[in-house]
Amino acid sequence: DAKTTQPPSMDCAEGRAANLPCNHSTISGNEYVYWYRQIHSQGPQYIIHGLKNNETNEMASLIITEDRKSSTLILPHATLRDTAVYYCIVRVGGDSWGKLQFGAGTQVVVTP
Amino acid sequence: EAQVTQNPRYLITVTGKKLTVTCSQNMNHEYMSWYRQDPGLGLRQIYYSMNVEVTDKGDVPEGYKVSRKEKRNFPLILESPSPNQTSLYFCASSNLNTEAFFGQGTRLTVV
């Protein structure tokens, strides 16, 4: 499975957009990019995922580069409740679908 | 409400006393898995299951057992807990090509 690289931490002002980068340069054609976040010690929460195209939902947008070697999670208007650790994960289908490999993630702190 | 339920949420036990942490999901998911989270080491997978009676080791399976006799349940068994198994445990479930849902966690302390 492809590994991911994320910056360890990031600060963001409340109300501004937060752009979280992720490098997955060894990603394979059939691997999805998933984003989760973990608020304090709660269970990780799904945010968004994509394969090739950019995606948007009510929580965030996901921009995947054309070569798929990196992606950016965008929180359009960060709030204090968005303070969390954000994980970028690549997943492959089949029997390995259940194997989520979490890295260290990015600690995002949203400040007033 | 779709959810993954873990019990207990908190547990303090003594070394060597067998324990079971239960995990149940109500979404008819095929895939279920267990993780432990430790400071500085992040989330690491212990075991996962692709369906009933099908399980496989994750990255840190030593000292743990699992079983998947029913689709909705995936208990984690510690036959002889040791202090190095003190950790925060999460159960997760999903179907193929869908997002994983996580439980709220079980904080285990082994003294």
Side-chain angles (χ1 to χ4, degrees):
Chain A
D1 291 348
K3 299 287 188 234
T4 62
T5 304
Q6 299 177 251
S9 64
M10 176 178 295
D11 292 337
C12 179
E14 188 178 20
R16 305 295 289 267
N19 296 297
L20 283 65
C22 178
N23 181 288
H24 31 79
S25 59
T26 60
I27 193 170
S28 301
N30 61 347
E31 288 183 311
Y32 290 81
V33 179
Y34 270 74
W35 284 83
Y36 287 83
R37 72 180 183 183
Q38 186 177 25
I39 298 172
H40 193 47
S41 295
Q42 298 177 20
Q45 175 191 23
Y46 165 78
I47 302 173
I48 198 167
H49 75 279
L51 183 62
K52 297 179 182 177
N53 300 321
N54 299 336
E55 303 288 345
T56 296
N57 63 19
E58 64 278 4
M59 290 182 69
S61 294
L62 175 61
I63 308 297
I64 303 174
T65 58
E66 193 169 342
D67 62 8
R68 301 186 71 239
K69 292 186 177 182
S70 66
S71 60
T72 300
L73 178 74
I74 301 172
L75 306 177
H77 305 287
T79 70
L80 299 179
R81 288 175 294 182
D82 292 323
T83 292
V85 178
Y86 287 76
Y87 298 99
C88 169
I89 300 167
V90 291
R91 301 179 74 184
V92 63
D95 289 348
S96 295
W97 186 252
K99 290 178 68 75
L100 276 76
Q101 296 276 339
F102 285 87
T106 297
Q107 171 69 63
V108 172
V109 176
V110 180
T111 55
Chain B
E1 180 189 354
Q3 58 186 4
V4 177
T5 303
Q6 296 179 225
N7 280 297
R9 294 289 310 279
Y10 301 91
L11 179 61
I12 301 175
T13 190
V14 296
T15 299
K17 186 177 181 182
K18 181 179 179 180
L19 68 91
T20 299
V21 184
T22 63
C23 174
S24 180
Q25 50 94 2
N26 63 359
M27 296 166 280
N28 201 35
H29 284 166
E30 293 180 348
Y31 294 83
M32 297 187 73
S33 53
W34 277 102
Y35 300 82
R36 62 177 289 173
Q37 186 170 30
D38 305 287
L41 296 175
L43 282 150
R44 295 177 293 169
Q45 192 172 58
I46 304 171
Y47 269 97
Y48 69 102
S49 169
M50 293 77 81
N51 215 322
V52 175
E53 302 292 1
V54 183
T55 62
D56 203 355
K57 296 178 180 178
D59 298 316
V60 288
E62 295 78 20
Y64 304 94
K65 285 177 58 176
V66 293
S67 68
R68 188 92 182 272
K69 292 182 168 47
E70 306 167 280
K71 199 170 188 178
R72 64 182 293 127
N73 296 321
F74 191 45
L76 180 69
I77 303 159
L78 285 72
E79 298 250 343
S80 183
S82 63
N84 65 12
Q85 292 178 299
T86 292
S87 188
L88 179 59
Y89 291 86
F90 291 102
C91 179
S93 74
S94 73
N95 275 334
L96 184 63
N97 296 337
T98 68
E99 70 270 26
F101 288 78
F102 285 79
Q104 284 303 100
T106 295
R107 190 169 292 279
L108 172 66
T109 302
V110 183
V111 298

